[in-house]
């Protein structure tokens, strides 16, 4: 990854796009793991600290059919 401030703007934009794709992929993976934990019967109060979120967020993630990251355009 380049950290050169004088880099070609197109290269920098490409790096931003790649980073956004990586964030979306990791977010989708994280949400999938949280949903799997809920489906396996692990209490949401136990999942929350491992996912670094509140228990209510675990509930919302469990209720989603698809991650917003899945719909990234």
């Amino acid at each position: 990854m380049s950290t050169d401030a004088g880099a070609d703007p197109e290269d920098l934009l490409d790096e931003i796009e790649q980073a956004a794709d990586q964030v979306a992929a990791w977010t989708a993976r994280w949400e999938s793991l949280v949903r799997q934990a809920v489906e396996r019967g692990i209490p949401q109060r136990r999942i929350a600290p491992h996912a670094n979120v509140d228990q209510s967020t675990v509930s919302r993630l469990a209720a989603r059919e698809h991650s917003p990251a899945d719909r990234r355009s």
Side-chain angles (χ1 to χ4, degrees):
M1 234 185 261
S2 172
T3 57
D4 180 10
D8 176 25
E10 291 304 314
D11 290 343
L12 185 56
L13 292 172
D14 287 344
E15 284 190 47
I16 291 170
E17 186 174 2
Q18 289 173 1
D21 289 343
Q22 291 171 350
V23 168
W26 277 108
T27 299
R29 174 75 175 138
W30 172 77
E31 289 185 9
S32 174
L33 290 168
V34 169
R35 284 192 299 272
Q36 287 176 46
V38 171
E39 289 169 3
R40 291 180 184 182
I42 299 172
Q44 293 179 10
R45 69 180 176 281
R46 286 193 60 207
I47 299 167
H50 293 279
N52 199 29
V53 294
D54 292 329
Q55 187 174 337
S56 62
T57 301
V58 173
S59 297
R60 284 193 299 275
L61 292 173
R64 285 187 189 163
E65 289 185 29
H66 299 287
S67 166
D70 295 340
R71 295 185 288 273
R72 186 175 179 278
S73 54

